[in-house]
Amino acid sequence: MKIKSAIAAATLTLGAVAAGAGVAAATPAPLHTPFIGNYATYEACAADGNSPKTGGTQWECVEVANGWDLYTY
């Protein structure tokens, strides 16, 4: 009977760990919501990021192959 109890306890523990890992994996990574545009230089991207019309308080310029992409959150 002790072996069955040990197996049951191990199964419950593994299930709890797997459920916790599933919850952690289900948490989405921060997304770049609206894509504003592509800019040739970082300075131009940052200028629009700081602008209240196009950027605002939370923005990011991401370097890509053809320049810089501006994203807001």
Side-chain angles (χ1 to χ4, degrees):
M1 201 65 163
K2 288 184 180 182
I3 293 174
K4 287 183 182 179
S5 296
I7 292 172
T11 303
L12 286 174
T13 302
L14 288 175
V17 169
V23 170
T27 304
L31 296 177
H32 298 278
T33 26
F35 168 75
I36 303 300
N38 182 270
Y39 301 86
T41 64
Y42 176 82
E43 290 76 19
C45 181
D48 270 2
N50 284 318
S51 169
K53 287 185 178 182
T54 54
T57 58
Q58 295 186 353
W59 56 271
E60 181 179 13
C61 292
V62 178
E63 188 172 15
V64 293
N66 59 345
W68 294 86
D69 286 349
L70 174 62
Y71 295 94
T72 60
Y73 301 97

